[in-house]
């Protein structure tokens, strides 16, 4: 009787850098940065490590490429849906980044690496340009462009990163609405003499929407930028 030999699944598409990056993003979403190895990547793509190294030199380059790919998708959507005012375009851009960071738990840390440690890479200039063009369109003095755009970016990535971290911190199976309700209930029972503010906002915490709260913060910054220009 003939024996059946085990064979490695054959690729049905030619291997390309784009396919490698796409597979890397999927692995990062599912397993996090620690789960992205060249071994797991070769298994997913049914190829050998040499074929991947031909396109990507190391894991650092792969992480940078995955980050760039996700950000490129966000900016492409933002360009496909132009709005009437710079303020609306900034909101669209900010919310797109907020959602991307929520959908890709690894993205916040990688953006911090790119924005702080690799300002000459492709990600930092593209994000700065997208915010900066719209800040300039608000009519603020050129001398304040860098500060205003930086303030927006710091808020967007800080708030989006914290929101994503909050979601990851929930225990498996814990409902977010129930969690917020429990926290708000505890805050309502705090000593009013020591925690008057916390007691007053407890009900707002219970009912708030993360995306709406995020956009309200964007609007506060935009109001400050335009108000300082008028002054």
């Amino acid at each position: 009787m003939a024996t059946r030999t085990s064979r490695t699944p054959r690729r049905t598409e030619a291997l390309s850098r784009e396919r490698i990056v796409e597979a890397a993003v999927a692995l990062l979403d599912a397993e996090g940065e620690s789960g992205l190895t060249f071994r797991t990547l070769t298994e997913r793509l049914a190829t050998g490590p040499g074929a991947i190294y031909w396109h990507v030199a190391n894991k650092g380059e792969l992480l940078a490429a995955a980050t760039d790919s996700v950000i490129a998708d966000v900016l492409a959507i933002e360009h496909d849906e132009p709005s009437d005012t710079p303020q609306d375009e900034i909101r669209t851009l900010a919310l797109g980044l907020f959602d991307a960071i929520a959908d890709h738990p690894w993205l916040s840390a990688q953006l911090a690496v790119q924005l702080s440690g690799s300002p000459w890479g492709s990600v930092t200039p593209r994000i700065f340009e997208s915010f900066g063009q719209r800040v300039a369109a608000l009519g603020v003095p050129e001398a304040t462009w860098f500060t205003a755009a930086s303030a927006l970016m710091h808020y967007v990535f800080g708030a989006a990163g914290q929101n994503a971290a909050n979601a990851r911190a929930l225990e498996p199976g814990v409902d977010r609405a129930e969690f917020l309700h429990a926290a708000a209930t505890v805050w309502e029972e705090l000593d009013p003499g020591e925690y008057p503010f916390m007691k007053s906002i407890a009900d707002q915490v219970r009912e708030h929407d993360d995306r709406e709260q995020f956009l309200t913060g964007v609007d506060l910054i935009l109001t400050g930028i335009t108000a300082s220009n008028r002054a």
Side-chain angles (χ1 to χ4, degrees):
M1 179 180 295
T3 59
R4 179 177 300 174
T5 58
S6 176
R7 296 183 179 179
T8 301
R10 300 176 64 183
R11 297 195 309 272
T12 57
E13 301 176 40
L15 188 64
S16 65
R17 181 180 174 89
E18 290 72 21
R19 284 195 63 219
I20 293 171
V21 172
E22 181 181 349
V25 170
L27 278 171
L28 285 164
D29 290 347
E31 306 293 340
E33 183 179 340
S34 63
L36 176 63
T37 66
F38 276 66
R39 179 177 179 179
T40 56
L41 198 56
T42 56
E43 291 173 353
R44 179 173 287 249
L45 292 169
T47 188
I52 295 178
Y53 281 115
W54 176 263
H55 296 281
V56 183
N58 51 54
K59 184 174 179 178
E61 182 180 331
L62 185 57
L63 286 168
T67 303
D68 184 73
S69 175
V70 173
I71 294 301
D73 289 341
V74 173
L75 299 184
I77 293 173
E78 178 260 334
H79 282 301
D80 287 342
E81 300 178 0
S83 303
D84 294 333
T85 67
Q87 289 91 335
D88 288 337
E89 292 181 0
I90 287 172
R91 294 186 190 98
T92 299
L93 172 61
L95 194 59
L97 291 167
F98 180 88
D99 289 338
I101 291 172
D103 292 340
H104 304 282
W106 52 273
L107 184 60
S108 180
Q110 290 305 312
L111 281 171
V113 170
Q114 293 296 315
L115 294 171
S116 300
S118 183
W120 45 78
S122 60
V123 172
T124 302
R126 292 167 73 179
I127 295 175
F128 246 115
E129 188 67 26
S130 293
F131 277 112
Q133 286 185 17
R134 287 150 184 86
V135 167
L138 293 173
V140 300
E142 185 173 350
T144 68
W145 286 359
F146 173 69
T147 300
S150 296
L152 272 169
M153 289 176 57
H154 290 158
Y155 169 75
V156 168
F157 292 122
Q162 185 62 56
N163 176 75
N166 291 343
R168 293 194 301 273
L170 292 178
E171 295 291 335
V174 174
D175 181 75
R176 174 186 174 279
E178 293 178 358
F179 179 84
L180 290 177
H181 180 82
T185 299
V186 172
W187 290 1
E188 286 174 334
E189 297 172 355
L190 291 171
D191 181 353
E194 189 173 0
Y195 299 100
F197 175 79
M198 295 296 289
K199 286 180 65 68
S200 68
I201 66 169
D203 196 53
Q204 299 175 37
V205 171
R206 181 182 288 111
E207 303 296 335
H208 85 279
D209 179 272
D210 291 331
R211 296 170 92 245
E212 290 181 2
Q213 183 187 41
F214 171 75
L215 285 177
T216 298
V218 172
D219 287 339
L220 287 172
I221 294 175
L222 290 175
T223 298
I225 291 173
T226 54
S228 64
N229 181 45
R230 288 194 298 270

